Amino acid sequence: MPILPRRALLGAAPLLLPGGRAMAQGEPGREQARPIRMVVPFAPGGSADVVARITAQGLQAVLGQPVVVENRGGSGGVIGSEAALAAPPDGGTITFHTLSSAVLNAGLYKTLSFDVRRAFAPVALVGTLPNVVMVNPKVPARTLPELLALMRARPGRITYASSGPGTITHLSAHLLASMAGAEATHVPYRGSGPAFADLLAGTVDMMVDTMASVIPAIRAGQVRALAVTTTTRSAALPDIPTAAEAGLPGYETYNWHAVFAHAATPAPILARLEAATITAVQAQSARLEAAGVEPRPEGSAALGAFWDQQLALWIPIIRSSGATAD
């Protein structure tokens, strides 16, 4: 849909208030616009929180209305999702989902209190975060083909770290080995931080992690990057080939962030949120890129099609990995 001009968005802002009440401009003593609540279903400090706060600041500038980030972490995003769905569907609460909370949980949990695809309405995509395949310097592989050859020659002896079963770090490495016809041993951790620390220490051999969080270590030579997991090279690491260039065509994994609302939110409010989010992402593109995000300001129709594609891709991979959260 076309992006509404800033004046139109500011005029529409009162429609986004809880309860849908329109405010008369200039009315003496009128009630101030209530903040929009952006629920981030993850703990503070992670990449989702950082990107959400950049997006919220952009939305606030576009709408002329406060946008307050509320972190509700736990159960891989389930707790925050439930909290967002408990709010009135009037645009006063929006949700900042990632691949994990919008897709992976649908395959990891056999019993959820909601069907994520039916419970949420796509608003707009914010951006993608490429992953990178890394090894500790003790591993003799200097290229992706050499690593895959080691994995085939030593079935199960090459270890890979992850931030936990069923996470993007786990499933990306599982998919890599599966597509290469190789076998490696999964070593799960409670979070990417401890997993990456053991990769640096040489306790585990390899890891596939979000590029944004590991670029300093790669540049310092503390770990060896073998391939990025997107179809094009990253501007942040232009010398690192893609997996396809390195001999594994079709391999592509990345995390992503997007804004969603309750599925029962009225269409006019969804449309205004969509236009505002696209404008906000465009305005914040430099800050997003600095945070390791590749901005992708796309509207609800594109996000909905992308969401369906991601569900179709990852649910079978989760089942083949045996990962479960129940």
Side-chain angles (χ1 to χ4, degrees), residues 74-226:
S75 300
V78 173
I79 291 174
S81 296
E82 290 176 335
L85 292 172
D90 54 18
T93 298
I94 56 179
T95 309
F96 198 80
H97 276 308
T98 69
L99 170 68
S100 177
S101 55
V103 174
L104 301 185
N105 283 345
L108 290 170
Y109 288 88
K110 295 179 181 177
T111 55
L112 279 176
S113 62
F114 59 93
D115 179 330
V116 65
R117 189 61 179 91
R118 295 181 179 180
F120 288 96
V123 172
L125 188 60
V126 172
T128 58
L129 289 83
N131 295 323
V132 60
V133 181
M134 305 165 289
V135 295
N136 75 62
K138 297 177 183 178
V139 176
R142 307 196 70 84
T143 66
L144 183 60
E146 290 178 0
L147 173 63
L148 299 180
L150 278 177
M151 293 167 67
R152 295 186 190 103
R154 308 173 183 176
R157 291 176 57 190
I158 299 297
T159 57
Y160 65 91
S162 84
S163 54
T167 60
I168 184 65
T169 54
H170 168 211
L171 297 173
S172 293
H174 167 77
L175 180 62
L176 178 76
S178 177
M179 289 183 64
E183 183 182 341
T185 297
H186 178 209
V187 183
Y189 291 80
R190 292 187 175 180
S192 289
F196 189 64
D198 267 10
L199 180 71
L200 291 174
T203 306
V204 289
D205 298 315
M206 64 169 285
M207 186 175 182
V208 183
D209 199 6
T210 301
M211 185 185 300
S213 61
V214 299
I215 286 176
I218 291 172
R219 290 176 175 165
Q222 295 174 294
V223 292
R224 185 181 304 132
L226 303 184

Side-chain angles (χ1 to χ4, degrees), residues 2 28 51 62 67 78 88 91 103 148 158 165 200 203 229 250 267 289 297 306 310 325:
V51 180
V62 173
V67 180
V78 173
V103 174
L148 299 180
I158 299 297
L200 291 174
T203 306
T229 64
E289 288 171 354
F306 173 74
Q310 289 284 287

Side-chain angles (χ1 to χ4, degrees), residues 5-26:
R6 177 179 171 83
R7 181 176 298 174
L9 288 168
L10 289 173
L15 292 177
L16 303 179
L17 294 174
R21 294 184 301 278
M23 301 281 190
Q25 296 297 320

